[in-house]
Amino acid sequence: MGEGAAGGMLALVGIYAVAAVAVPWALGRYRRVMACAAALVPAATAAWAATRVGQGELNTEVVWASDLGLVFDFRVDALSIVMLLLVGGVGAVVLCYAGWYFERSERLMIGTLVAFAGAMTGLVLADNLLVLYVFWELTTLSSFVLIGHPRPDRVGDRRAATQALLTTTAFGLVMLAGFVVLGQAAGTYRISELVAHPPGGTSAQVGVVLVLLGAFAKSAQIPLHAWLPAAMVAPTPVSAYLHAAAMVKAGVYLVARLAPAFAGVDPWRPLVLAVGLFSLLVGGVVALRQDDLKRLLAYGTISQLGFLMVLLGNGTRTAALAGAALLLAHGLFKAPLFLTVGAVEHETGTRRADRLSGAGRRLPVLAIAATAAIASMIGIPPFLGFVAKEAAFEAFAHGGIDIVVLAGVVAGSALTVAYGARFLHGAFSGGTDERPGDPWGLVVPVVVLAAAGFALGLVPGALQKLIGPYAGTLPAHEPGYKLALWHGLGLPIWMSVTAIVAGAGLYGAFGRTFPGRSTRPWLPDAQRAYDAVVEGTMAAAHAVTRRLQIGSLPVYLGVIALMVLVVPGPALVAGLVRGTGPDWPADGPRAWDTPAQLVLAAVVIVCALAAMWARGRLSAVLLLAGTGYGMTGLFVVYGAPDLGLTLVVVETLTLIMLVLVLRRLPERFPPRLRKVPARAATAVISLGVGGFVGLFLMVVALSRRADPVGPGYTRLAAQEHTKNVVNLILVDLRGLDTLGEITVLAATAVGVVSLVLTGPGVPRPGRPPLGGSSVLLEAVARLLTPTILVFSVYLFFAGHGRPGGGFAGGLVAGMAFVLRYLPGGRRELATALPVRPALLLGGGLGIAVATGAGGWASGGQFLSSRKLGGTVPVLGEVEIPTNLFFDAGVYLLVLGLVLTILTTLGASLEEPDAPEAAGEEPS
């Protein structure tokens, strides 16, 4: 297809991330303008999807790292268009509604709603199982924020958010395992190829069951449904969007996406039909007993999602037509009903049916719109819900096991009529003396969505054009069946009449009383089951922790070292005994190549032994630094000055940090209290691990069968006209590895801040420096800092052909600010660099990621290097490789990491101990 259309598909995914941040930041003071501006993004998505109706499929891919198989595949077809219309259209209306619903500017809520819409859009467009899983979990994270944010001080809200997160994430991991099984069995993770050529056998059966479990949890199918009623603590816009129109549809969508390939694989159809029918019936029964209108709709949603599971998982053309139509209809009647509850609660202060009276007379337009939505839900012509249910009855009117399914569907539809009538009665019955006064900002969105359900029911031909291509991928009992308002006096119309009449009877018998009777005496409580699982897991975790996490660092290190000896150690020794090890040189391995190596090795060994026996903490730290500097010399001797330079700076920074920490510790180590057996065990484990590592390295070095990769890197460096192979590897050839490493560094910095600054006694800015300020040292530091910074910039630019690069340059720059910190503390550091370290961390990581994404913009892969150039006045022709910008991001991030650790340690170290403050000696 056209490149413009493909580019539009990519823009749909990327624009949400920008809008989620930019719109609340720019318009946060104007809540209604902010909400409506944010609604433009999902509205554009729906408009773009509408232009794709009848245009055929569209495929595109974004290469991340082709050698690793990391590719973002996206695809638009009829099914994804249905979901995009639902996610985008309902999302736009709900966002506008939120502007009038919230009493104050909810920047985080609006931004997260937009981010959620983007995650759902990516999920729908994904044509790769692993990409789909990424967006799947992004919807889970968004829902966690949206459920738990409004009142974070309330335990119930946090508990509901956590329950939704744990349930959907846990079964999402189960689903991921199913994706891996199916992908490995099929030899591809691309969904379109998997559906076209599905795998068979046991692997397909196992993968199908695992995937269905994840889909059932996401779409709140019984017994994995408890998280959805609990999530009704969320604000109404969240419930209307996530829990009616979008997030809960993800599982149903996944079933629909895979049904053409796996509906015939056991146990797909029996499992989907059983779970779907059970949820349809039980959800309807429980909804009929609810007094809280949102909980009534929540259980009604569980029931309707079960109905969708039955239709879209059945694997036949007519059922798929009905399911896709009901998928759209459900969003257009359930979302406005949730919005109705929000408007009623906003105006009356309650959403409990047993406490409401007269809302219908007070809010007449809202009552009419809600009645229209209920009419679509229960299947009254000419609403879209009626068109979908007629097709559903037709799908199972063919004898055999379908008769049992048909009976369940009719019973579920009758329950839908009953709890729909209960909703209207509970929300709008009764009289009032108050004058009508519909809050139009809350009512218009309800009217728009209900009217859309009415309008689409009038044009079933257009719906057939939209859904038909997807349904055509499934086998058909009657190939000629089409969606229509009238198919004559056949079985489907009589089933509709039966469901409505039976539903009215159920409402008269069980649904008119308020408050409703509890279902707990005869129905298992899924919430109690969830609580029991969580409590059991926590109890087991505490029991394990009490026995294993005893608070001894030597014990933890000993266990790790022992596992190294126990697991791979015997395999290494056995290989040497059997003679499958390396080919030893005839004259044996060389002990050293030059006498300098022998001297440096002796320095390392002596320093390590001396550090072990040192009684003073400062002596031990200096001796440990000696081992590091000795290793630096070995790098230099072997011809790796770049690594040597980096290690020198790292060792120096580490030494300074440790010396600063020692200020808060006693001068000497405490007396050794461990008994002789423990010390002997420590010695044995240490000697064993040392021998294992030495032997392992020797075996690896002597077991090489293939040609070394070094010459290949050298040739690539020659092609790039660079002499520093190490820097070329870091910023170009293995740039993806470097990006991962600097991301870990950024996360480490955040962890350091959270660990150091969350305890009591954190000082306020303006504390005195460490041990007082030295005027002479401050003067020297101020004189040397510019020189060191210039040297760091030189190292940054020299990395192309000489030792240096962004990592080494950032470390040297960090050394300059450490020098400023030592005499003056954080006061002097803030004077030298009035920029928060967090900005350097985030900016560096952002530059690195943006540089990588620039490879996509130029038509290449992520992190692919390009040369930018042109004629510059005075300088002439200038050529700059894009990997230089990536290296600049590394430089800033490393500098930010050093400053973060320095400032957080300083926040703790500049706080005097209590004994010292009292004039006492520290104990």
Side-chain angles (χ1 to χ4, degrees):
M1 288 291 178
E3 293 183 2
M9 193 186 336
L10 297 179
L12 283 178
V13 179
I15 195 174
Y16 282 96
V18 177
V21 177
V23 172
W25 176 78
L27 302 173
R29 295 183 180 181
Y30 315 99
R31 57 186 173 91
R32 294 179 178 177
V33 175
M34 172 183 63
C36 293
L40 295 176
V41 182
T45 301
W48 181 84
T51 64
R52 295 296 311 168
V53 176
Q55 299 296 313
E57 297 179 1
L58 174 64
N59 299 276
T60 189
E61 67 177 23
V62 179
V63 179
W64 176 273
S66 58
D67 293 341
L68 300 177
L70 300 179
V71 178
F72 288 97
D73 297 301
F74 295 105
R75 180 168 176 260
V76 174
D77 61 2
L79 180 61
S80 56
I81 288 175
V82 172
M83 285 295 295
L84 288 175
L85 289 171
L86 189 62
V87 170
V90 176
V93 174
V94 169
L95 279 166
C96 290
Y97 175 96
W100 275 261
Y101 179 84
F102 292 119
E103 298 292 341
R104 56 189 179 87
S105 180
E106 290 284 357
R107 295 188 180 189
L108 180 60
M109 292 293 292
I110 298 299
T112 308
L113 277 171
V114 175
F116 169 81
M120 277 299 303
T121 301
L123 187 154
V124 170
L125 293 176
D127 192 32
N128 184 290
L129 291 175
L130 301 182
V131 174
L132 185 148
Y133 174 76
V134 169
F135 287 110
W136 184 283
E137 292 306 317
L138 287 176
T139 63
T140 299
L141 291 175
S142 302
S143 71
F144 173 75
V145 174
L146 291 168
I147 296 170
H149 164 67
R151 292 168 291 185
D153 56 318
R154 296 225 0 216
V155 175
D157 292 5
R158 296 199 306 270
R159 186 181 182 281
T162 302
Q163 181 173 355
L165 178 71
L166 291 179
T167 303
T168 54
T169 301
F171 284 92
L173 291 173
V174 174
M175 180 190 72
L176 176 61
F179 284 169
V180 172
V181 171
L182 292 178
Q184 292 299 110
T188 179
Y189 286 91
R190 182 168 289 179
I191 298 174
S192 54
E193 295 180 4
L194 188 71
V195 172
H197 306 286
T202 304
S203 60
Q205 294 175 333
V206 172
V208 158
V209 172
L210 296 176
V211 169
L212 286 178
L213 287 174
F216 292 156
K218 195 76 166 182
S219 289
Q221 295 297 277
I222 296 175
L224 306 176
H225 69 288
W227 68 268
L228 183 57
M232 292 302 103
V233 299
T236 294
V238 175
S239 299
Y241 194 27
L242 275 68
H243 307 138
M247 176 178 163
V248 292
K249 298 286 176 58
V252 172
Y253 168 77
L254 181 60
V255 168
R257 177 61 71 197
L258 299 180
F262 298 106
V265 175
D266 289 332
W268 173 287
R269 197 166 184 267
L271 188 59
V272 169
L273 293 179
V275 172
L277 285 175
F278 189 66
S279 300
L280 170 64
L281 297 174
V282 175
V285 170
V286 179
L288 191 56
R289 299 298 185 93
Q290 299 300 309
D291 298 317
D292 185 315
L293 294 178
K294 280 186 73 173
R295 288 182 66 85
L296 186 154
L297 293 177
Y299 281 103
T301 299
I302 293 170
S303 177
Q304 291 294 304
L305 291 172
F307 195 2
L308 287 168
M309 281 286 181
V310 170
L311 294 174
L312 293 171
N314 187 56
T316 60
R317 177 182 176 275
T318 306
L321 275 175
L326 186 61
L327 186 71
L328 193 56
H330 181 267
L332 295 178
F333 63 66
K334 191 57 66 68
L337 291 177
F338 272 107
L339 298 182
T340 297
V341 175
V344 170
E345 185 178 17
H346 191 274
E347 294 300 303
T348 65
T350 184
R351 63 176 189 240
R352 289 190 60 87
D354 53 344
R355 299 174 187 170
L356 281 167
S357 179
R361 293 179 181 271
R362 182 177 174 181
L363 308 168
V365 177
L366 182 67
I368 294 172
T371 302
I374 290 291
S376 182
M377 183 174 75
I378 66 179
I380 299 295
F383 288 91
L384 179 58
F386 170 77
V387 175
K389 286 195 176 183
E390 287 290 288
F393 294 143
E394 176 65 29
F396 298 104
H398 301 285
I401 190 63
D402 283 353
I403 294 299
V404 178
V405 179
L406 179 61
V409 168
V410 173
S413 299
L415 288 168
T416 302
V417 173
Y419 68 70
R422 179 178 178 84
F423 176 88
L424 288 177
H425 181 195
F428 298 111
S429 64
T432 181
D433 295 331
E434 297 185 35
R435 297 179 61 184
D438 287 282
W440 294 110
L442 302 179
V443 173
V444 170
V446 180
V447 173
V448 168
L449 292 175
F454 177 80
L456 286 177
L458 297 175
V459 287
L463 203 62
Q464 178 72 35
K465 181 180 179 181
L466 169 63
I467 300 171
Y470 164 71
T473 62
L474 293 157
H477 293 298
E478 295 181 11
Y481 183 86
K482 294 183 178 180
L483 297 173
L485 269 173
W486 179 251
H487 289 94
L489 294 174
L491 180 63
I493 192 67
W494 293 115
M495 292 297 96
S496 293
V497 173
T498 301
I500 293 173
V501 173
L506 286 173
Y507 165 71
F510 304 105
R512 298 182 61 188
T513 57
F514 295 94
R517 288 174 287 180
S518 174
T519 57
R520 285 188 176 183
W522 55 273
L523 188 67
D525 192 335
Q527 186 62 51
R528 290 182 180 177
Y530 167 81
D531 293 339
V533 171
V534 171
E535 291 174 4
T537 304
M538 295 300 294
H542 286 308
V544 172
T545 302
R546 282 196 304 270
R547 289 166 175 78
L548 298 182
Q549 300 296 321
I550 61 176
S552 173
L553 182 58
V555 170
Y556 300 155
L557 294 175
V559 170
I560 295 172
L562 191 60
M563 289 300 101
V564 172
L565 292 176
V566 170
V567 179
L572 177 63
V573 174
L576 294 175
V577 171
R578 290 196 303 266
T580 58
D583 298 327
W584 299 98
D587 55 350
R590 296 191 305 274
W592 61 82
D593 292 321
T594 67
Q597 294 174 356
L598 180 61
V599 174
L600 291 169
V603 169
V604 171
I605 293 171
V606 170
C607 288
L609 292 174
M612 184 178 66
W613 293 105
R615 300 273 56 84
R617 296 181 189 271
L618 181 58
S619 301
V621 167
L622 293 174
L623 290 168
L624 286 175
T627 63
Y629 289 126
M631 293 299 299
T632 300
L634 290 174
F635 279 126
V636 174
V637 169
Y638 271 102
D642 198 79
L643 297 178
L645 172 64
T646 302
L647 187 54
V648 164
V649 181
V650 170
E651 286 292 341
T652 304
L653 284 171
T654 304
L655 176 60
I656 293 173
M657 297 296 181
L658 288 176
V659 170
L660 292 177
V661 172
L662 289 182
R663 177 177 176 271
R664 301 297 302 273
L665 297 174
E667 182 179 347
R668 302 182 65 82
F669 290 110
R672 299 194 178 198
L673 301 178
R674 288 187 296 169
K675 298 180 180 179
V676 174
R679 296 172 64 182
T682 300
V684 170
I685 293 175
S686 300
L687 291 172
V689 171
F692 169 79
V693 172
L695 183 61
F696 177 77
L697 291 176
M698 185 178 295
V699 169
V700 169
L702 298 174
S703 298
R704 175 175 288 162
R705 299 290 186 269
D707 295 332
V709 298
Y713 285 134
T714 304
R715 288 191 294 271
L716 290 172
Q719 295 175 8
E720 295 293 330
H721 306 290
T722 180
K723 298 179 181 179
N724 190 338
V725 179
V726 173
N727 191 252
L728 178 71
I729 294 173
L730 290 177
V731 302
D732 198 345
L733 304 180
R734 301 295 295 270
L736 189 61
D737 293 347
T738 304
L739 180 62
E741 290 162 2
I742 62 175
T743 304
V744 172
L745 288 178
T748 301
V750 174
V752 169
V753 173
S754 62
L755 286 174
V756 175
L757 297 184
T758 53
V762 176
R764 298 179 180 86
R767 287 279 186 181
L770 300 177
S773 177
S774 168
V775 176
L776 178 60
L777 188 54
E778 282 192 27
V780 172
R782 293 186 180 189
L783 288 174
L784 291 180
T785 297
T787 303
I788 298 175
L789 289 175
V790 170
F791 180 59
S792 76
V793 174
Y794 163 77
L795 289 175
F796 166 68
F797 285 105
H800 189 68
R802 297 180 180 86
F807 193 83
L811 288 174
V812 172
M815 285 288 298
F817 293 106
V818 169
L819 186 61
R820 291 292 297 270
Y821 173 82
L822 288 176
R826 286 177 299 144
R827 171 186 55 79
E828 185 71 10
L829 186 62
T831 303
L833 186 67
V835 176
R836 296 179 61 186
L839 293 178
L840 297 176
L841 282 171
L845 188 59
I847 290 172
V849 174
T851 303
W856 287 335
S858 60
Q861 299 185 26
F862 185 79
L863 283 174
S864 58
S865 180
R866 293 288 185 274
K867 292 184 185 274
L868 306 177
T871 302
V872 179
V874 180
L875 297 178
E877 191 72 21
V878 176
E879 189 176 73
I880 301 175
T882 55
N883 56 26
L884 184 67
F885 299 106
F886 180 82
D887 214 15
V890 175
Y891 179 98
L892 292 176
L893 187 138
V894 171
L895 175 58
L897 173 68
V898 173
L899 295 179
T900 298
I901 296 176
L902 193 63
T903 53
T904 51
L905 280 177
S908 175
L909 296 173
E910 293 180 17
E911 175 74 7
D913 288 326
E916 295 175 348
E920 301 175 4
E921 292 293 330
S923 57

